[in-house]
Amino acid sequence: MRKLVLLIFNICFGISVFPQTPKVYTSADILLQLKKLQVLGSVLYIAAHPDDENNTLLPYLAKEKFYRTAYLSLTRGDGGQNLIGDEQGTDLGLIRTQELIAARKVDGGEQYFSRAYEFGYSKSAEEALRIWDKEKILSDMVWVIRQYQPDIIIKRFPGDTRAGHGHHAASALLADEAFVAAADPARFPEQLRNGVQPWQAKRILWNTYNFGSNNTTSDDQLKIDIGGYNPLTGKSYGEIGAEARTMHKSQGEGRPRRRGQITEFFATTGGEPAKNTLMDGIDIGWSRIKGGTGLTAMVSNIVSDFKMDQPVASLPALSKLYEAVKKLPEENWRNKKLADILDLIESCSGIFMEVTAQNQLNVIGDSARFTLSFNNRLGLAVENVNVTLFDNNYALENSKPNENITRLVSVNISKQEPATQPYWLERPIQGGAYDVSRQEDVGKAENDGYKAVFKATIAGNVYNFEKKLLYKFTDPVKGELYEPIQIINPVLINNNPSIILFRNNDKNQIKKLHYTLQSNLELNEKVQFKTVYDHKEMIVFDSVVNYAKGSLRNFDVQINSDSLKANSTVLAGGELTASSLFEHQYFALRKISYDHIPDLYYNFYDKTRVIKMDLKTKGSRIGYFAGAGDRVPQALEAMGYEVRLLSEADITDENLKKFDAIITGIRAYNISEYLSNKNDVLMRYVENGGNMIVQYLKSNQVGQKKIKVGPYPFLVDPSTRVTEEDAAVNFLLPEHPLLNYPNKITVADFTGWVQERSTYQAVQLDAHYETPLGMNDKGEKQTNGSLAIASYGKGNFVYAGLVFFRQLPAGVPGAFRLMANLIALPGK
């Protein structure tokens, strides 16, 4: 069943790229694509995450060697950390998906994914393969290889500990196995019923590297200088690569543009060894296609005859080439080159075609208005222009040269039309992988999107041009902008807050759950709205309503503490039914918006986590310095604290003394230099009796400066992580106040944790620090840097590598109790 809900608008960050604006091809762009028509060679690059790809190599392959080039990232980066906002999990995966797509637009590559979910840092390939389900992810890779049919495969990592991450090593092991399995009809034979055939790449290579102390290159490996200059782009591949890398903004991956020689090394791990070039022994010309040999000269002549100041002069030859390629036997390269030639015909013709929606959000069961636009800017012989849009056909009148022809149309959106949803989010995650229902969707970077088809006769030849349906608007500062359209459900339902917390000793205490209903259609009928929690239904109203289109209604539902069992957690959500609606409505619609990627929307069932637990707190006012994006402040409010977000101007002795504790968000010191600069003020706050809790730092540096944090020295070690969320925890100082006041902490408080225990732990600690907890992943030595606590004056300073930023928003009871004890640490 499909449902949806109100919009949550995230802050837009000022980044100067508008990714949905249709690309305008210059003569240099056209010439580069014409040169690419001469080459029928392909490369598939494989690694584990967004940002694992070699961003200088990919543009070299695509724009210098003219190979069809793609990157297969096994995950979407869901389990990483976010430097530009508070999105985590699938939300972060959506952002990083689009950042990879944006990077490919820069370097000329294509993007693919498997179904693997990035569950966080992993120390072994065995763990990754177990959680992902090795055979499932291997089948995805085989499917992509059989569809894409690469001549060579390049993997980024080795399949051992040198890879530095279990996901990295797993991607290499799977790549080697997929290289063989893709050619074996006995492996995943069900795929052969979906239009693919076994495929044997010529070789698989490892793109070795020298990452500081980890040098895997050697003189006996194939060496290629990829640092050359491309006069058609006006940039070297090091410059293009830096621009592509900088699209990984959620990871803070901005890079300087590199110039000069850049040598890459390659070691063959399967197939025939490469001795001189990556494509040794591979026919990468038109002769590889049956009947294609005669096209070599035709393509060569088009390239040599191209006129930079008159691209349209190439149109007759391109039209002949298009017809010739159409006659070739149906196969992968024939279809790819046919699509490329059609794009070139459009670019050389100068014809403008566009379909834009009046609204970005269009409602199931309602009508949507679109503008069809056409301009024959060069006055070519164009006739019989028709547009197909949602199975409707519309004719456009013949135009004079450079005349704008527009037609406004209205389309009814069927009640059976599903709401727009990223295909991998249509079903709940199964284990360590997304559950994708349609085989043809596996591997895709994103949904195909909504499209219109312009059918036009140009100089006697009939062409069909696909154009994405976009929402176009003008921003007074940024100018003309485009965003993808969305089809949304008739009603949106949102909950607030995300967590409601009762204590076991609460008696007949009432807390309110707030619902907001947004009606995207007129509703003038009997409507029932109910809330559901703990397997109980409560009807909020069942009556005739008159809701105008776009109206908002707010309702409060009282939750009584006595209705929950002690030490329990339930989920509460809302549901609306009406006879005119195709389905029950109970989904929300979340919006994620940043300037460097398109607006992102997805449907979700908005549920409030209602917790009843044993919790004692001391103090009431918390000052919070936001870090690199987390939702800890909302969790603190659920615990009953008054939380105030602080800025640099708030760091004064007089202001800080108002708070019972000061907490900094994750990586706050790495992004806000003022915290380091004002460490003396913060430490006076501690000395005078305050408690300060610093959530993890990525390093001891901010820019080029060493961070000043805490009253006594310590270092942060990125390699000291405890990634197993169920790792045993030992109490090294059982009498320490952290473990006893005001909540008695037991091993039970470490059950139910998500993704990991601790990250970026403290090491080389000054003797003043106490470390009450010890923990380790299986097979490793115990570490004690997850919590480091030092008394200073009358107060306490805490460095917390424990991942409160994951556990508190997830409603883990033990994390609430630990945080309450840190806030309440007694002074001297």
Side-chain angles (χ1 to χ4, degrees), residues 335-352:
N335 297 339
K336 171 60 178 167
K337 291 302 183 184
L338 201 62
D340 292 343
I341 296 165
L342 186 61
D343 288 342
L344 284 164
I345 288 172
E346 180 184 348
S347 297
C348 290
S349 73
I351 292 173
F352 176 81

Side-chain angles (χ1 to χ4, degrees), residues 530-590:
K530 60 187 177 183
T531 186
V532 182
Y533 77 95
D534 197 20
H535 306 291
K536 303 170 186 175
E537 294 184 355
M538 182 178 71
I539 295 176
V540 180
F541 65 84
D542 188 350
S543 58
V544 175
V545 301
N546 294 286
Y547 290 169
K549 182 177 179 179
S551 62
L552 297 177
R553 294 291 188 277
N554 295 305
F555 304 96
D556 287 344
V557 174
Q558 293 186 341
I559 306 290
N560 192 312
S561 60
D562 294 350
S563 67
L564 284 89
K565 298 177 182 178
N567 301 314
S568 66
T569 298
V570 300
L571 298 175
E575 181 177 325
L576 182 144
T577 56
S579 60
S580 68
L581 302 178
F582 180 60
E583 291 182 332
H584 294 189
Q585 305 292 302
Y586 52 88
F587 265 128
L589 183 69
R590 176 162 288 141

Side-chain angles (χ1 to χ4, degrees), residues 44 89 106 151 176-177 193 255 269 298 337 364 373 416 442 650 660 688 724 777 786:
L44 180 63
V106 173
D151 292 311
D176 282 328
E177 191 167 343
R193 297 190 293 270
R255 290 291 186 268
T269 62
M298 186 181 294
K337 291 302 183 184
I364 294 170
S373 301
Q416 285 74 39
V442 171
D650 295 308
D660 298 297
N688 291 329
E724 296 168 4
D777 288 325
S786 61

